[in-house]
Amino acid sequence: MYFLTDEEKKHLLRYHLPRARERGVAEELRGWNWHQPPLEPVYKDVILALYEVANAYCPTGRDVYLRRVQKEKGQPNVAMVRGTIFHAVVAGVIVAAKRAIYGEGVANCQAICERIQSHPALSLGTWVNQLSSEDFEATTSMAEILAAFEKTRVLARIQEILTKQPYIGEDSLVSLALPVVVEQKLDGSFIGLSPNLSTDAFVFWEPMVLDMKFDRVRNFHRLSTTGYALVMEALYEFPVNLGCVIYGEFRGDRLIVKKDIHIISDELRQWFVETRDEKARLVAEEIDPGTTGECYETCPYYHVCFA
Ligand code: SF4
């Protein structure tokens, strides 16, 4: 899921990268300027998770108010449970492939491939209580489709590099065939966020934050990549100009993958910071923003808002 196709790579190199470099970013909106406005958090005592800032499924932000001020617990819906499972499936295959390369060594290509092939999709046993039997069955089959897709992509990349590089070592093979860090842990404190953030993936040949969604395209999805880019700039002091939201969709027994590669622009950075401060204000001043006509029945807080 995290690997770009040749066409996407070409598009990235010929279109997005030159534009990102040309356009530039206002200096005060770079993450390393976290200690001064506008990045400096207005409500320093309120620590939000990145998803609380970036998710706008609740149009008024009442979900954050209920969780943080009223201490209400949400009830995860099927899409949320599935999202968690699918993320674990993809991360599991990539980590298993890295382990197989280091464990078997490049001289044992067959053994590497067999280990990756036999990696289980995921033990879904622990999730059984959170899904109806029908949803559980459907989710299991989707997880298998996803794992099979990811294994095929990973194996093709490993074999491609091995055929080109006869003298390659394990570490180099991992960095060329699997140039992503999955579930990278980040401390978001500088930006007024939780110290325990985790990005879906980060590619290191051109700093780009990747976020995977199993949802329809929504404009606020780019806020997640923007938030992580700001955090990485604050932590490591290098520019992160690009984000990519990867959309996975199951159609029958097929997986459709689309990628939204985008520049982490001034507008997105500004939008993220304003949303962070606005949601932090709801919590700090205990303001209930109320419900809206746009509530959806699968909202984790529907049972609270419409009791
Ligand atoms: S039910 Fe509506 S107002 Fe309440 S948290 Fe959900 S989307 Fe927000």
Side-chain angles (χ1 to χ4, degrees):
M1 297 289 280
Y2 298 128
F3 307 117
L4 302 185
T5 62
D6 288 343
E7 294 78 37
E8 287 163 345
K9 240 183 246 169
K10 200 178 261 187
H11 207 60
L12 177 75
L13 294 173
R14 293 285 159 95
Y15 182 81
H16 293 290
L17 272 180
R19 267 164 193 73
R21 287 169 187 159
E22 235 172 67
R23 201 191 280 188
V25 167
E27 189 56 23
E28 73 268 20
L29 291 170
R30 285 293 192 187
W32 52 75
N33 282 316
W34 52 270
H35 47 85
Q36 58 192 40
L39 288 195
E40 186 183 17
V42 177
Y43 300 93
K44 293 197 174 61
D45 294 337
V46 178
I47 306 295
L48 296 175
L50 196 141
Y51 77 89
E52 289 178 305
V53 176
N55 282 356
Y57 291 100
C58 171
T60 63
R62 189 166 203 239
D63 54 344
V64 176
Y65 165 81
L66 291 173
R67 192 180 310 113
R68 295 286 171 169
V69 181
Q70 298 294 334
K71 308 293 177 207
E72 291 284 355
K73 275 206 159 75
Q75 291 172 353
N77 56 36
V78 176
M80 290 162 75
V81 176
R82 279 188 178 157
T84 309
I85 292 171
F86 297 157
H87 278 80
V89 167
V90 174
V93 172
I94 292 173
V95 173
K98 289 183 179 180
R99 272 208 196 103
I101 294 170
Y102 285 119
E104 301 294 338
V106 285
N108 297 306
C109 180
Q110 281 310 317
I112 292 175
C113 296
E114 279 161 22
R115 262 177 75 167
I116 295 171
Q117 282 290 14
S118 61
H119 174 73
L122 188 71
S123 163
L124 297 187
T126 48
W127 298 96
V128 75
N129 296 332
Q130 300 206 36
L131 295 168
S132 68
S133 60
E134 202 177 302
D135 285 330
F136 183 77
E137 217 170 282
T139 307
T140 307
S141 104
M142 289 174 190
E144 277 161 9
I145 293 167
L146 183 59
F149 169 82
E150 197 61 23
K151 286 178 191 177
T152 310
R153 295 280 286 136
V154 163
L155 285 168
R157 291 179 65 88
I158 292 172
Q159 280 160 347
E160 191 190 335
I161 304 287
L162 283 176
T163 52
K164 281 191 208 155
Q165 303 286 349
Y167 307 112
I168 199 166
E170 288 80 27
D171 209 32
S172 178
L173 177 59
V174 166
S175 84
L176 286 175
L178 307 163
V180 290
V181 178
V182 287
E183 312 277 325
Q184 187 170 19
K185 301 298 172 213
L186 298 169
D187 180 351
S189 317
F190 291 120
I191 304 291
L193 302 171
S194 156
N196 305 306
L197 303 177
S198 172
T199 54
D200 282 357
F202 180 71
V203 290
F204 36 82
W205 43 270
E206 164 67 36
M208 180 162 78
V209 184
L210 302 158
D211 200 39
M212 188 165 51
K213 306 277 184 201
F214 292 87
D215 188 9
R216 65 179 169 83
V217 177
R218 302 183 197 245
N219 59 355
F220 62 80
H221 285 162
R222 289 184 177 189
L223 283 187
S224 300
T225 49
T226 303
Y228 285 120
L230 286 169
V231 170
M232 297 195 90
E233 287 179 348
L235 283 174
Y236 305 122
E237 310 230 347
F238 60 71
V240 181
N241 296 325
L242 292 172
C244 177
V245 184
I246 302 153
Y247 291 95
E249 184 196 342
F250 295 92
R251 282 193 209 159
D253 61 359
R254 284 176 61 197
L255 174 68
I256 312 292
V257 182
K258 290 188 183 137
K259 297 197 180 82
D260 169 33
I261 300 174
H262 52 271
I263 296 172
I264 310 286
S265 62
D266 286 359
E267 294 74 26
L268 281 173
R269 290 163 188 264
Q270 197 78 49
W271 184 13
F272 182 88
V273 170
E274 282 167 10
T275 309
R276 175 201 64 184
D277 291 341
E278 179 51 28
K279 289 192 175 173
R281 188 174 74 89
L282 298 180
V283 177
E285 297 177 9
E286 304 195 352
I287 299 166
D288 181 354
T291 58
T292 156
E294 294 167 55
C295 294
Y296 56 106
E297 279 187 29
T298 53
C299 170
Y301 292 94
Y302 200 85
H303 64 291
V304 180
C305 291
F306 298 95

